[in-house]
Amino acid sequence: MPTRILGIETSCDETAASVVEDGVKVLSNVISSQVELHARYGGVVPEVASRQHVLQICPGIEKALEDAGTRFDELDAVAVTSGPGLAGSLLVGLNAAKAIAFALDIPLLGINHLEGHIFAAWLNSQREEEGPDPSADPGFPLVCLIASGGHTDLVLMEGYGEYQLLGRTRDDAAGEAFDKAARILGLGFPGGPEIQRKSAGVHHAEQLPRSWLKGSQDFSFSGIKTALLRRAQQSGIYPPDESQVEDSDRLIGEMASAFQESVVDVLVYKTLEAADMVGAKGVILGGGVAANALLRQEMKRQSSLPALIPPPVLCTDNGAMIAASGYYHYTRGRGDSLDLDVNPGLSL
Ligand code: KG4
Ligand code: ZN
């Protein structure tokens, strides 16, 4: 009998639920995004997010089961993000998961959101008719880049559940930098997809700087952001509402493209440098920024190692990655007690 795990994710502004079979096969993936609600504020408002999760959580879970053709009593366990994230948002998912685990008498598994982003790499990798996809399993050690709105972590993974932090951002997370850059350029929220869209097919002559932080595996993105701000001010693009600049659309496209290239350059170079240093057999990309088309393309082009990059919909927050990580813990007999608390500052 296959193992079916319900994964629930409510750490930030997506209410997500998914049923995954045997840790790899995504039977359903329901994501209710709150982007439009938060867009008018230019970022996620925690109080608004929690209340929206309350509205979306039950319909989301029911839809995930329906799409998966699975009844509640066919679930083997429920996995839920317990941290890191916004406390009030995490609590909604955790309490829903507790209710389900209690009612069905199945294991409750509190999952680290960052581990979830890593496990997304193996989702849907099992091509049953041909056997496992060899590129999906290069073996350990692996170097994982988790680049999201809250994190930019380079992690050495020596085995399932064995993580060592190699480096992290010293200031803004890569996704946060995309979001701030988009705000500078008068583009929408979240900024990553907007910057990508504005950069498509654009050639930029002027480069923005890169922070290499040589000799360290850490990242820094605030310098690139400040350089962008300065250039936007000089050209009259910023502040956006006051700009009456001729040809502003072209200028914004060029600045977006230069910004995207700088961030991607640093992410790819430092990930591959770290992989080389530790003798990794492959690299994993995860987190919302891994949905970026240029990053995906450049990582695949420049890496001589297999690069495991989930499809974009599994890079941004989703319940399937939580179920996948849950499966790993479930097979090791783990189960959390019903007094499990959220941990907003949890690290790997
Ligand atoms: O992992 P995620 O969905 O949520 C967090 O855990 O933070 O990541 C969200 C972040 C946002 O900052 C968003 O701008 C960024 O991922 N992002 C992108 C793209 N899609 C989402 N950044 C660059 N390019 C994209 N296509
Ligand atoms: Zn995330």
Side-chain angles (χ1 to χ4, degrees):
M1 275 294 278
T3 299
R4 288 185 179 185
I5 296 187
L6 172 66
I8 299 175
E9 153 62 40
T10 64
S11 67
C12 190
D13 61 340
E14 340 269 357
T15 317
S18 159
V19 178
V20 173
E21 203 168 87
D22 294 333
V24 288
K25 193 169 170 193
V26 183
L27 300 185
S28 63
N29 191 22
V30 176
I31 302 167
S32 154
S33 171
Q34 308 175 4
V35 158
E36 278 170 28
L37 261 182
H38 299 288
R40 77 182 86 143
Y41 306 107
V44 177
V45 183
E47 184 80 15
V48 174
S50 320
R51 296 176 69 177
Q52 199 60 24
H53 285 309
V54 170
L55 296 176
Q56 299 294 340
I57 191 75
C58 290
I61 291 170
E62 276 161 15
K63 175 100 175 31
L65 288 165
E66 190 188 314
D67 289 0
T70 302
R71 296 189 314 267
F72 271 107
D73 64 9
E74 291 175 309
L75 293 173
D76 294 283
V78 52
V80 59
T81 307
S82 57
L86 302 168
S89 291
L90 290 164
L91 277 168
V92 178
L94 180 62
N95 283 322
K98 282 183 181 179
I100 293 167
F102 178 72
L104 300 174
D105 194 22
I106 55 174
L108 168 74
L109 300 154
I111 301 300
N112 185 316
H113 181 84
L114 301 170
E115 183 176 69
H117 275 308
I118 293 176
F119 271 80
W122 287 281
L123 283 169
N124 285 342
S125 62
Q126 215 81 21
R127 285 190 266 143
E128 272 157 33
E129 62 288 11
E130 302 160 44
D133 175 357
S135 72
D137 197 9
F140 296 106
L142 293 167
V143 162
C144 315
L145 170 70
I146 308 168
S148 69
H151 291 82
T152 303
D153 290 351
L154 260 183
V155 176
L156 169 64
M157 186 176 182
E158 298 200 83
Y160 294 110
E162 292 172 47
Y163 312 106
Q164 194 187 317
L165 187 68
L166 298 173
R168 63 193 313 176
T169 182
R170 293 185 185 174
D171 38 60
D172 293 343
E176 187 183 0
F178 269 105
D179 295 339
K180 288 179 176 170
R183 218 173 300 154
I184 291 170
L185 297 177
L187 305 173
F189 172 84
E194 292 286 310
I195 298 263
Q196 176 175 322
R197 188 176 53 80
K198 258 321 204 203
S199 312
V202 171
H203 170 76
H204 60 270
E206 276 189 74
Q207 302 287 330
L208 282 166
R210 281 99 167 121
S211 312
W212 297 113
L213 301 184
K214 290 257 187 265
S216 153
Q217 259 93 62
D218 284 349
F219 296 96
S220 167
F221 296 107
S222 67
I224 305 174
K225 178 195 64 193
T226 307
L228 176 76
L229 176 63
R230 213 157 289 139
R231 193 165 303 163
Q233 284 167 329
Q234 280 159 3
S235 63
I237 295 292
Y238 188 88
D241 338 334
E242 293 162 27
S243 72
Q244 297 287 332
V245 182
E246 209 183 303
D247 221 7
S248 66
D249 204 51
R250 181 184 58 82
L251 284 171
I252 290 170
E254 288 184 9
M255 280 186 248
S257 165
F259 178 83
Q260 175 176 258
E261 190 187 272
S262 281
V263 175
V264 166
D265 242 15
V266 172
L267 290 175
V268 172
Y269 181 85
K270 298 206 73 150
T271 303
L272 295 180
E273 184 186 53
D276 191 44
M277 270 177 56
V278 302
K281 294 195 175 141
V283 295
I284 283 181
L285 284 197
V289 178
N292 184 269
L294 183 67
L295 175 59
R296 304 167 71 86
Q297 175 196 311
E298 286 306 303
M299 190 63 87
K300 284 184 196 147
R301 192 177 68 80
Q302 295 182 39
S303 177
S304 55
L305 301 168
L308 312 190
I309 313 177
V313 70
L314 296 173
C315 289
T316 46
D317 290 350
N318 64 85
M321 68 186 201
I322 302 304
S325 163
Y327 177 75
Y328 160 74
H329 294 284
Y330 174 81
T331 54
R332 273 148 192 82
R334 207 188 107 191
D336 291 314
S337 78
L338 289 176
D339 57 12
L340 178 69
D341 196 5
V342 298
N343 187 348
L346 188 64
S347 55
L348 257 183

